[in-house]
Amino acid sequence: MKIMVVCGNGLGSSFIMEMNVKKALTEMGKTAEVDHMDLASAKTEKADVFIGAADIVGQLNDGTRQIVTLENMMSIPEIKSKLEPIVS
């Protein structure tokens, strides 16, 4: 499974979210390929799941992508609860 973490510029906040997603997956005992990038690049990227803040990642929703929106990108419990039904 490939998870793409997205933010506006693909720098600081998406990198922090990427580390938190990896930590959440580890705590869940799951593995996935996790990477981060900016919104413009993500529009052409293939991934199983796109995750990010609602105002950014919602722009990727074309009806075919699995989108996960976060209220608090620092919240490991929120990340775990939103990934749990998706990551097998």
Side-chain angles (χ1 to χ4, degrees):
M1 172 170 276
K2 183 174 182 178
I3 299 173
M4 187 59 62
V5 182
V6 181
C7 76
N9 294 320
L11 299 171
S13 57
S14 62
F15 181 66
I16 291 167
M17 280 189 286
E18 176 187 348
M19 292 188 317
N20 288 338
V21 167
K22 287 178 178 178
K23 182 175 182 178
L25 289 169
T26 298
E27 289 180 10
M28 294 165 58
K30 307 292 184 183
T31 59
E33 178 186 341
V34 183
D35 204 356
H36 69 279
M37 69 175 35
D38 66 282
L39 177 62
S41 299
K43 289 182 178 181
T44 61
E45 185 70 22
K46 301 267 191 235
D48 298 299
V49 179
F50 292 86
I51 188 168
D55 60 328
I56 299 292
V57 79
Q59 296 178 46
L60 293 173
N61 193 354
D62 63 1
T64 65
R65 293 185 172 124
Q66 176 80 44
I67 304 291
V68 174
T69 59
L70 298 177
E71 298 299 317
N72 180 354
M73 66 182 179
M74 300 301 289
S75 172
I76 302 296
E78 180 186 1
I79 294 169
K80 286 167 60 175
S81 72
K82 292 196 173 169
L83 287 180
E84 210 149 60
I86 299 168
V87 180
S88 55

